[in-house]
């Protein structure tokens, strides 16, 4: 499903350039649950952004669903986001002006899903995450863990093939973190959703099926 | 989707109450100013257009060699033209100035002074589209017939049936009886022809009705006193027709005055078709364009606010943009969303504007001195352009902000980078400068207009207007005994202890001259000197003394000289300007020379000091003073104290001497002020406009300051912890804004100075554009900006640093 071949990322610095990622070869199969680990500044987020088509690699080839995607128009990229990719962020990144229900519903709106189907999809997720009672609240009225649950629900609502999560539990205390990790594991096992997460915690990494370690932009 | 956009738009408007308030208030004020001015433009544009045949109607206009034009022509041309030129289907003439007088219900009955009155052609109600309520239009073709407007009929006859009743008119043609032939609907503001009553022109054909005024003969070709309108056939070429008129004039006219005929389309009589059209109009197209320009500028300021605040606010919403893109929004989606927000804001502004327009309509009508309402917009297609413009402006300002917002790069927003693009900042600065260029220019204009107005109002006229009251002479009872009775009245005036000075005359200062005429030469004149035009003022022997006008050389008229009949008189006086115009090198030189006026010789017996006869708006005309005892006006200077009482006493004396006549009087100084009505209107208009512009611009500035303080809260907190004083924080936050206003002042000053100087050129007596005017405007603009920004800055400066740091 994901195949990186000699991927590198560098930024201009002074007269030269500074490499953040070097010669990354990586293959992720459908149904895997991969954790990316490594010290701060080692390039984890950058790698995840490249995988999630938010950033373009400077060198190398990236095939997503067997298609080369390293140089894609913004429109095509948005298409892929709409249909196949879900994101979960450390800072949740919910839309403050929308209620829980509306936040979850929005990806479906952009995808052009009909009203009745939207209703049932959102209702199903709310039910599954035990958030029915909270559906009309605004993000600021929720705890961090609850906000991240909404974040996960929003990443799932359009039934993506893969979820990219950058330190999804970084702002949560351990109980809440475990809850999210268990949820990820269940999604991976039962719904066959591919998951790629960045984490600093060895414990979180154990929920996954494979761990990739980065150091100074190199894959160990 | 739309629903979702609207929902977000509403919640955003509610969440950012300050910004919403600024936008809606600013747009509301801007749009209402725009709507009002649209009303005014529509009103001006629709004047005279209601006549059924307006497209085929032309007015005959005289144009002199110096470019001056006027609509009063000799009455004889119309019939000649219709007879000779097949293009002409019909004509209609009317004369206003000559008709005014006192109207009386019956012999010895109640009387009113009537100014809005004219002699009109028999086909008047067929030619023009003024609806008749009673009577037949045909009736006006008979002599001694009068038609009244609805409200005038009510004034004279109340509820009783007016047609068939008679009225007595006392004017320069003596006493004439008229029978009411019909009633017409009051002529509105939308017409330049506005008469309370019209008299059949046919009346003047009978010598019995003209009292020896031979000049009024309807077939004469030498006295310009009548308006002549022509209805031209469908396919006629009016320029060819114009040429034919001039050929006719060259063939038949006795005068060698260089005047040419022009045909002015009736559609262009109120507003010229372009700014440089030279023909006289009743309206002022310059003023209309200027108003429209101001309206646009004010609206522009409001839209600039929208662009400024929404793009400044963009950073706050960058995260939302990023998230939406990640979950599948395209740029088009986002533009749609933000455009929706701007349209909603504009829509709210529009609703607020409609409320404002509804409430302030009477105030606006008072400001411009005309009857206007929203309905007037329907008269011309301008409302469509206006609406189109409003929509275009809302969409463009919204689109621009939307485009800026939707362009954020996902990755940057998610990393929380504040990558405010520098172009956005420059644009914002540019727009603020633009707003203050407009505001400062308007402030400058206001100061200059009021200074000039003051200059005019308080300028030295060269006459003494203090306590000077002018009473119109009687019209009723001007029989053979009148001269004796007038003398007796003057005698009683002289005896009153509260009368300091008194005079009779045919003209008074602040009103126009008797007439202007050319054809004067003196022995030393050069060729063509006879083409120069002079003002004619017919005065009594006490006129100069009463008005405090000094004699520079020679002597005043004697009472005997004023008694000589018009055609036998051989003495005149000149003002200094006329002395120079005639080519004399000094007043002394002019004395006792005989000047030639066509075939007559007139001896110059005295030269009077120059004074402003009309107003300070015009330069001093060359005036020839002609002696006559006629009492069209009595000028009376009262002793200073207890004015009201004396006026009452005067009225009593007047009514005893001239029974049946209305006591019509005015104060000289007040009448002079009327000449500056237009400048007062300009003053009011610019005050309002600059207040609005400054206010809306400051709303925007306030918003930007609020935003700046919000986004720099942490920095300010740190600075305060490090020991920054309140004033240093205020300076830190204000100086950038003040610099922008400073730049605006530097741009506005020369630009505004240029245009204001152009305006001042119209005044022979004008103020200089002195430095203090610019300093005052600059100071005012800076002060206002500082107060606006300072409010937020001081709040930031006073804030407890711990709060701001903890909130992160
Ligand atoms: N736009 C950029 N320009 C220059 N350098 C950048 C840019 N973006 C990221 N970097 C650098 O790339 C390196 C990797 O950053 P990245 O965010 O991927 O690290 P990370 O492993 O996720 O760290 P953390 O655990 O702290 O989140 C860092 O040293 C960062 O300074
Ligand atoms: Mg990271």
């Amino acid at each position: 499903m994901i195949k990186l071949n000699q991927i590198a990322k560098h930024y201009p610095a002074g007269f030269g350039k500074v490499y953040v990622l070097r010669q990354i070869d990586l293959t992720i199969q459908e149904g895997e649950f991969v954790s990316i680990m490594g010290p701060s500044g080692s390039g984890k987020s950058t790698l995840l952004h490249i995988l999630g088509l938010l950033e373009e690699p400077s060198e190398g080839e990236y095939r997503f669903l067997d298609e080369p995607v390293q140089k894609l128009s913004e429109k095509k990229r948005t298409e892929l986001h709409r249909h196949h990719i879900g994101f979960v962020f450390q800072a949740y990144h919910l839309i403050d002006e929308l209620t829980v229900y509306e936040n979850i519903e929005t990806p479906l709106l952009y995808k052009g899903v009909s009203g009745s189907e939207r209703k049932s999809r959102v209702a199903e997720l709310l039910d599954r995450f035990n958030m029915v009672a909270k559906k009309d609240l605004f993000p600021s009225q929720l705890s961090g863990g609850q906000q991240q649950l909404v974040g996960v629900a929003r990443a799932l609502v359009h039934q993506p093939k893969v979820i990219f999560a950058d330190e999804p539990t970084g702002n949560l205390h351990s109980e809440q973190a475990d809850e999210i990790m268990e949820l990820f594991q269940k999604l991976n096992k039962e719904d066959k959703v591919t998951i790629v997460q960045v984490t600093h915690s060895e414990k979180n990494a154990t929920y996954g099926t494979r761990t990739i370690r980065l150091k100074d932009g190199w894959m160990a | 989707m739309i629903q979702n956009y609207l929902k977000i738009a509403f919640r955003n408007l509610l969440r950012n109450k300050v910004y919403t308030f600024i936008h809606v208030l600013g747009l509301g004020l801007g749009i209402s100013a725009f709507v009002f001015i649209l009303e005014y433009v529509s009103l001006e544009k629709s004047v005279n257009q209601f006549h059924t045949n307006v497209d085929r109607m032309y007015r005959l206009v005289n144009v002199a060699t110096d470019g001056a034009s006027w609509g009063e022509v000799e009455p004889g041309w119309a019939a000649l033209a219709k007879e000779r030129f097949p293009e002409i289907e019909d004509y209609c003439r009317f004369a206003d100035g000559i008709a005014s007088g006192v109207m009386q219900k019956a012999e010895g009955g109640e009387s009113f002074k009537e100014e809005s009155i004219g002699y009109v052609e028999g086909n008047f109600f067929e030619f023009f589209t003024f609806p008749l309520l009673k009577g037949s239009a045909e009736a006006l073709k008979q002599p001694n017939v009068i038609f009244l407007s609805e409200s005038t009929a009510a004034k004279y006859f109340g509820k009783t049936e007016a047609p068939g009743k008679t009225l007595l008119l006392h004017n320069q043609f003596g006493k004439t009886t008229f029978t009411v032939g019909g009633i017409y609907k009051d002529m509105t503001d939308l017409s330049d022809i506005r008469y309370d009553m019209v008299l059949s022109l046919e009346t003047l054909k009978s010598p019995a009705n003209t009292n020896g005024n031979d000049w009024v003969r309807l077939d004469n070709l030498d006295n310009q006193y009548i308006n002549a309108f022509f209805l031209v056939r469908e396919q006629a070429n009016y320029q060819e027709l114009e040429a034919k008129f001039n050929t006719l004039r060259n063939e038949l006219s006795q005068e060698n005055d260089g005047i040419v005929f022009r045909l002015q389309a009736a559609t262009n009589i109120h507003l010229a078709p372009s700014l440089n059209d030279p023909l006289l109009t009743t309206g002022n197209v310059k003023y209309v364009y200027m108003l429209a320009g101001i309206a646009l500028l004010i609206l522009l300021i409001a839209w600039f606010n929208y662009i400024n605040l929404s793009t400044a606010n963009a950073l706050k919403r960058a995260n939302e943009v990023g998230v939406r893109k990640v979950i599948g929004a395209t740029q088009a989606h986002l533009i749609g969303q933000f455009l929706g927000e701007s349209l909603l804001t504009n829509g709210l502004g529009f609703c607020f504007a409609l409320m404002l327009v509804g409430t302030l309509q009477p105030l606006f009508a008072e400001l411009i001195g005309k009857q206007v309402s929203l309905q007037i917009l329907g008269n011309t297609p301008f409302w469509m352009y206006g609406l189109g413009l409003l929509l275009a402006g809302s969409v463009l300002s919204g689109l621009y902000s939307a485009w800026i917002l939707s362009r954020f790069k996902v990755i940057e927003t998610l990393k929380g980078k504040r990558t405010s693009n520098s172009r956005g900042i420059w644009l914002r600065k540019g727009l603020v400068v633009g707003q203050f260029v407009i505001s400062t220019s308007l402030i400058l204009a206001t100061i200059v207009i009021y200074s000039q107005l003051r200059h005019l109002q308080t300028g030295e006229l060269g006459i003494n207007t203090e306590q000077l009251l002018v009473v119109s002479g009687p019209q009723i009872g001007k029989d053979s005994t009148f001269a004796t009775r007038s003398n007796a009245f003057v005698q009683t005036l002289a005896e009153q202890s509260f009368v300091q000075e008194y005079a009779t005359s045919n003209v008074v200062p602040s009103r126009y001259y008797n007439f202007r005429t050319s054809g004067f030469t003196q022995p030393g004149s050069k060729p063509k000197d006879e083409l120069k035009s002079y003002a004619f003022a017919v005065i009594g022997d006490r006129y100069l003394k009463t008005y405090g006008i000094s004699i520079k050389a020679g002597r005043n008229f004697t009472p005997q000289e004023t008694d000589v009949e018009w055609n036998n008189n051989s003495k005149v006086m000149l003002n200094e300007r006329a002395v120079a115009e005639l080519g004399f090198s000094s007043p002394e030189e002019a004395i006792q020379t005989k000047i030639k006026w066509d075939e007559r010789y007139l001896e110059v017996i005295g030269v009077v000091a120059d004074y402003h006869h009309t107003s300070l708006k015009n330069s001093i005309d060359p005036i020839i003073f002609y002696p006559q005892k006629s009492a069209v006006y009595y000028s009376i200077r009262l002793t200073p104290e207890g004015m009201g009482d004396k006026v009452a006493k005067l009225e009593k004396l007047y009514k005893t001497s001239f029974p049946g006549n209305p006591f019509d009087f005015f104060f000289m100084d007040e009448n002079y002020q009327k000449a500056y009505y237009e400048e007062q209107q300009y003053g009011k208009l610019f005050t309002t406009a600059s207040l609005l512009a400054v206010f809306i611009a400051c709303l925007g500035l306030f918003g930007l300051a609020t935003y700046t303080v919000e986004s720099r809260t942490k920095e300010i907190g740190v600075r305060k912890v490090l020991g920054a004083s309140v004033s240093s924080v205020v300076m830190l936050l204000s100086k950038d804004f003040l610099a922008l206003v400073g730049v605006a002042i530097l741009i506005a000053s020369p630009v505004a100075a240029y245009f204001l100087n152009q305006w001042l050129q119209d005044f022979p007596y004008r103020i200089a554009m002195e430095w203090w005017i610019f300093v005052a405007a600059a100071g005012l603009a800076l002060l206002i900006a500082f107060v606006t920004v300072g409010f937020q800055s001081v709040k930031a400066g006073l804030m407890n640093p711990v709060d701001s740091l903890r909130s992160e």
Side-chain angles (χ1 to χ4, degrees):
Chain A
M1 162 175 216
I2 286 172
K3 195 165 162 50
L4 298 186
N5 185 10
Q6 290 294 299
I7 287 292
K9 179 79 184 175
H10 53 71
Y11 293 104
F15 293 106
K17 48 195 176 185
V18 50
Y19 275 85
V20 177
L21 291 173
R22 297 165 194 268
Q23 298 170 25
I24 307 284
D25 287 317
L26 174 64
T27 307
I28 298 173
Q29 304 295 338
E30 213 161 331
E32 276 197 87
F33 185 168
V34 178
S35 304
I36 304 174
M37 296 195 70
S40 192
S42 57
K44 303 183 296 292
S45 295
T46 309
L47 179 59
L48 195 79
H49 290 152
I50 289 175
L51 289 173
L53 301 177
L54 296 177
E55 245 176 304
E56 288 172 4
S58 317
E59 297 163 16
E61 193 198 22
Y62 175 17
R63 299 182 80 85
F64 182 76
L65 295 172
D66 269 345
E67 265 187 81
V69 293
Q70 63 270 31
K71 287 265 182 282
L72 223 52
S73 74
E74 172 149 352
K75 224 172 168 174
K76 280 266 162 54
R77 217 176 308 141
T78 306
E79 277 300 304
L80 289 177
H81 283 150
R82 269 188 206 165
H83 294 283
H84 304 303
I85 299 173
F87 276 99
V88 179
F89 302 98
Q90 172 175 4
Y92 326 131
H93 285 332
L94 300 177
I95 297 173
D96 293 337
E97 280 76 31
L98 298 183
T99 61
V100 166
Y101 183 96
E102 290 157 354
N103 260 292
I104 300 175
E105 185 191 25
T106 309
L108 299 178
L109 284 170
Y110 288 130
K111 203 176 165 183
V113 173
S114 74
S116 56
E117 194 181 337
R118 287 204 304 268
K119 243 184 206 154
S120 69
R121 293 281 307 143
V122 178
E124 182 197 325
L125 281 170
L126 285 170
D127 187 44
R128 181 151 159 202
F129 291 2
N130 284 324
M131 308 242 359
V132 177
K134 305 229 161 26
K135 76 177 172 55
D136 290 326
L137 297 183
F138 286 91
S140 55
Q141 296 165 302
L142 299 177
S143 74
Q146 289 166 333
Q147 287 191 50
Q148 194 59 300
L149 272 178
V150 177
V152 174
R154 186 181 66 184
L156 278 175
V157 72
H158 58 301
Q159 297 166 306
K161 289 204 156 60
V162 54
I163 287 179
F164 296 108
D166 195 349
E167 300 184 44
T169 61
N171 284 2
L172 305 178
H173 54 75
S174 61
E175 250 170 72
Q176 293 172 322
D178 291 344
E179 195 184 335
I180 295 288
M181 280 301 120
E182 276 158 26
L183 184 62
F184 272 12
Q185 200 169 39
K186 212 168 123 196
L187 284 171
N188 178 249
K189 283 200 174 127
E190 292 173 12
D191 301 72
K192 305 282 178 260
V193 181
T194 312
I195 293 174
V196 182
Q197 70 161 344
V198 169
T199 180
H200 277 287
S201 131
E202 292 289 348
K203 185 182 169 209
N204 283 356
T206 59
Y207 287 93
T209 54
R210 173 154 71 115
T211 302
I212 295 165
R213 287 181 198 277
L214 282 182
K215 194 163 186 241
D216 296 335
W218 297 91
M219 231 170 86
Chain B
M1 184 63 44
I2 302 277
Q3 218 181 341
N4 184 269
Y5 291 168
L6 278 180
K7 207 153 46 190
I8 307 232
F10 258 117
R11 286 181 193 156
N12 262 313
L13 294 186
L14 279 180
R15 181 173 295 232
N16 299 307
K17 284 198 191 70
V18 176
Y19 295 117
T20 307
F21 178 74
I22 288 174
H23 286 145
V24 174
L25 184 61
L27 284 167
L29 288 171
I31 293 172
S32 34
F34 180 77
V35 170
F36 278 138
I37 287 174
L38 208 61
E39 283 180 5
Y40 181 75
V41 173
S42 296
L43 175 83
E44 287 288 290
K45 277 278 179 189
S46 46
V47 171
N48 296 337
Q49 311 297 332
F50 62 90
H51 297 293
T52 314
N53 291 322
V54 72
D55 292 330
R56 294 196 287 133
M57 273 155 50
Y58 290 86
R59 160 168 89 158
L60 192 61
V61 170
N62 280 316
V63 181
T65 42
D66 64 354
S69 57
W70 60 97
E72 291 83 14
V73 298
E74 298 86 353
W77 301 111
L80 285 176
K82 191 185 170 193
E83 201 178 283
R84 300 187 182 198
F85 308 149
E87 293 96 326
I88 294 177
E89 189 178 316
D90 203 1
Y91 65 85
C92 181
R93 294 170 299 174
F94 54 91
D96 29 32
I98 64 168
S100 61
V102 169
M103 189 65 86
Q104 200 175 18
K105 262 160 97 173
E107 205 70 66
E110 202 182 352
S111 64
F112 300 93
K113 193 169 166 79
E114 297 292 352
E115 310 266 7
S116 177
I117 172 172
Y119 291 101
V120 307
E121 200 87 55
N123 64 352
F124 185 78
F125 287 102
E126 292 146 326
F127 195 93
F128 296 108
T129 312
F130 294 114
L132 278 182
L133 301 175
K134 278 180 194 161
S136 137
E138 287 293 309
L140 207 55
K141 293 180 177 154
Q142 302 303 315
N144 297 79
V145 170
I146 186 171
F147 277 45
L148 304 176
S149 78
E150 200 175 1
S151 50
T152 312
K155 171 169 126 188
Y156 281 91
F157 301 108
K159 286 202 172 65
T160 60
E161 185 77 1
K165 296 247 167 55
T166 57
L167 286 170
L168 288 175
L169 175 63
H170 306 260
N171 65 5
Q172 60 175 322
F173 304 117
K175 182 172 80 182
T176 320
T177 309
F178 288 93
T179 309
V180 178
I183 311 250
Y184 56 86
K185 225 170 140 205
D186 287 8
M187 296 175 180
T188 66
D189 268 0
L190 288 183
S191 177
D192 276 333
I193 303 173
R194 270 199 304 275
Y195 290 128
D196 292 339
M197 40 179 73
V198 296
L199 315 164
S200 57
L201 192 63
E202 200 66 21
T203 314
L204 296 181
K205 278 198 183 150
S206 153
N209 287 330
T210 56
N211 198 17
N213 285 282
D214 196 42
W215 56 268
V216 84
R217 272 187 27 239
L218 291 175
D219 56 356
N220 90 64
L221 295 180
D222 7 78
N223 283 297
Q224 302 174 353
Y225 70 86
I226 212 158
N227 292 284
F229 278 67
F230 293 90
L231 187 65
V232 165
R233 286 187 206 285
E234 214 75 69
Q235 303 83 2
N237 178 332
Y238 88 96
Q239 276 159 323
E240 280 171 22
L241 185 59
E242 197 172 83
K244 287 186 186 178
F245 265 105
N246 279 311
T247 317
L248 185 68
R249 185 176 214 277
N250 292 336
E251 186 188 324
L252 297 179
S253 178
Q254 311 295 320
E255 320 273 339
N256 172 27
D257 46 17
I259 289 175
V260 290
F261 277 147
R262 290 284 311 270
L263 285 175
Q264 183 178 30
T267 46
N268 297 338
I269 288 176
H270 191 73
L271 285 187
S274 73
L275 275 181
N276 40 29
D277 188 88
L279 295 183
L280 176 86
T281 52
T282 37
N284 185 344
V285 75
K286 233 196 229 170
Y287 189 66
V288 170
Y289 278 154
M290 195 183 62
L291 270 175
I294 291 177
L296 280 184
L297 289 178
I298 291 177
L299 208 51
L300 219 52
I301 294 184
W303 281 326
F304 283 4
N305 274 350
Y306 189 81
I307 294 180
N308 268 348
L309 292 181
S310 55
T311 55
N313 215 9
L315 294 179
K316 274 200 201 160
R317 303 193 60 180
N319 189 54
E320 179 190 337
V321 171
V323 171
R324 283 183 183 271
K325 282 191 169 180
V326 165
I327 59 178
T330 59
Q331 197 173 3
H333 278 128
L334 291 166
I335 289 182
Q337 175 185 340
F338 290 123
L339 193 59
E341 276 177 38
S342 94
L343 291 184
L344 187 68
T345 315
N346 274 281
L348 287 176
F350 192 77
C351 294
F352 180 53
L354 286 184
M355 268 169 51
L356 278 179
V357 168
T359 332
L360 300 180
Q361 191 77 63
L363 274 178
F364 178 67
E366 200 186 296
L367 181 72
I368 63 163
K370 297 225 164 104
Q371 289 248 302
V372 281
S373 68
L374 271 177
Q375 277 114 289
I376 203 104
L377 292 178
N379 282 358
T380 65
F382 279 93
W383 67 270
M384 283 191 282
Y385 307 150
L387 206 62
L389 191 81
L390 283 182
L391 261 174
S394 318
V395 169
L396 282 180
S397 61
L399 208 56
Y400 180 79
S401 316
W403 182 67
I404 292 283
L405 283 165
S406 68
R407 255 176 7 141
F408 282 115
K409 291 247 161 48
V410 182
I411 192 68
E412 287 170 2
T413 63
L414 293 185
K415 281 182 183 168
K417 273 197 198 156
R418 297 222 139 161
T419 49
S420 55
N421 55 347
S422 57
R423 206 182 333 145
I425 290 181
W426 279 109
L427 176 90
R428 227 150 33 233
K429 287 185 173 170
L431 293 185
V432 171
V433 170
Q435 293 180 318
F436 275 85
V437 168
I438 297 171
S439 308
T440 314
S441 302
L442 289 173
I443 294 178
L444 265 171
T446 308
I447 297 179
V448 167
I449 290 169
Y450 271 111
S451 308
Q452 174 64 19
L453 183 59
R454 231 187 108 68
H455 184 71
L456 293 175
Q457 286 174 327
T458 59
E460 195 47 65
L461 288 166
I463 60 171
N464 182 0
T465 59
E466 261 170 65
Q467 315 285 331
L468 201 72
L469 175 139
V470 176
V471 184
S472 302
Q475 294 278 5
I476 298 178
K478 282 181 97 169
D479 46 28
S480 52
T481 67
F482 173 66
T484 342
R485 282 188 293 131
S486 177
N487 282 342
F489 175 63
V490 168
Q491 207 47 53
T492 8
L493 282 182
E495 285 158 12
Q496 303 306 314
S497 59
F498 61 88
V499 172
Q500 276 188 358
E501 287 290 350
Y502 59 92
T504 60
S505 59
N506 216 301
V507 287
V508 285
S510 80
R511 292 218 159 161
Y512 200 60
Y513 309 101
N514 288 88
F515 50 87
R516 297 187 66 115
T517 183
S518 53
F520 291 95
T521 51
Q522 56 118 335
S525 280
K526 295 186 207 58
K528 295 229 170 180
D529 268 7
E530 73 277 6
L531 290 181
K532 290 181 177 173
S533 122
Y534 295 82
F536 231 78
V538 178
I539 59 172
D541 61 298
R542 304 186 61 95
Y543 175 89
L544 298 173
K545 185 159 179 268
T546 302
Y547 283 94
I549 303 164
S550 63
I551 295 173
K552 287 276 165 177
R555 61 170 178 87
N556 191 5
F557 297 122
T558 61
Q560 291 73 32
E561 280 163 343
T562 63
D563 264 341
V564 179
E565 272 223 30
W566 178 276
N567 285 321
N568 297 335
N569 170 52
S570 62
K571 306 272 196 296
V572 291
M573 293 179 83
L574 307 175
N575 70 349
E576 293 168 283
R577 189 78 196 74
V579 166
E581 198 75 2
L582 276 162
F584 295 113
S585 57
S586 70
E588 287 72 24
E589 194 197 321
I591 300 302
Q592 290 187 357
T593 47
K594 290 213 157 88
I595 58 172
K596 193 175 169 220
W597 180 26
D598 296 336
E599 300 310 316
R600 289 173 63 187
Y601 286 91
L602 301 164
E603 184 194 344
V604 179
I605 61 158
V607 173
V608 308
D610 279 340
Y611 70 95
H612 287 275
H613 187 87
T614 50
S615 78
L616 282 160
K617 273 167 83 172
N618 306 308
S619 44
I620 291 174
D621 295 298
I623 307 176
I624 292 172
F625 295 94
Y626 202 87
Q628 283 289 295
K629 204 166 208 118
S630 56
V632 173
Y633 297 106
Y634 300 95
S635 305
I636 301 157
R637 189 187 310 286
L638 303 172
T639 49
E641 50 291 314
M643 197 58 106
D645 227 24
K646 294 170 190 165
V647 175
K649 278 187 198 150
L650 268 184
E651 178 168 5
K652 218 163 145 196
L653 291 176
Y654 181 92
K655 292 238 155 150
T656 327
S657 298
F658 311 114
N661 280 286
F663 181 70
D664 179 63
F665 75 99
F666 61 86
F667 286 100
M668 184 51 65
D669 46 1
E670 284 171 15
N671 212 45
Y672 263 106
Q673 297 307 320
K674 281 191 191 155
Y676 313 126
Y677 175 77
E678 190 186 340
E679 285 68 28
Q680 278 165 337
Q681 288 297 100
Y682 275 109
K684 279 197 249 171
L685 172 79
F686 272 89
T687 312
T688 318
S690 45
L691 277 177
L692 259 181
V694 169
F695 181 73
I696 300 175
C698 282
L699 274 179
L701 205 58
F702 182 81
L704 279 181
T706 312
Y707 162 76
T708 307
V709 169
E710 270 175 16
S711 62
R712 292 174 78 169
T713 307
K714 192 170 167 199
E715 174 197 342
I716 297 164
V718 173
R719 280 179 191 271
K720 287 207 75 176
V721 171
L722 296 177
S725 65
V726 176
S727 59
S728 74
V729 170
V730 171
M731 239 8 252
L732 177 79
L733 292 170
S734 311
K735 69 172 193 294
D736 288 352
F737 288 116
L738 294 186
L740 293 182
V741 176
V743 171
I745 290 168
L746 290 182
I747 297 173
S749 301
V751 175
Y754 173 80
F755 285 108
L756 289 167
N757 237 324
Q758 294 274 311
W759 179 72
L760 284 174
Q761 294 311 310
D762 289 348
F763 298 93
Y765 303 92
R766 55 182 176 257
I767 53 162
M769 292 280 285
E770 282 176 75
W771 61 270
W772 70 262
I773 292 176
F774 296 97
V775 173
L780 202 61
L782 279 172
L783 181 74
I784 294 170
F786 184 73
V787 170
T788 310
V789 176
F791 178 76
Q792 286 294 339
S793 310
V794 169
K795 222 168 85 180
L798 290 174
M799 134 190 102
N800 184 345
V802 178
D803 298 336
S804 66
L805 295 180
R806 191 184 286 145
S807 73
E808 274 293 307

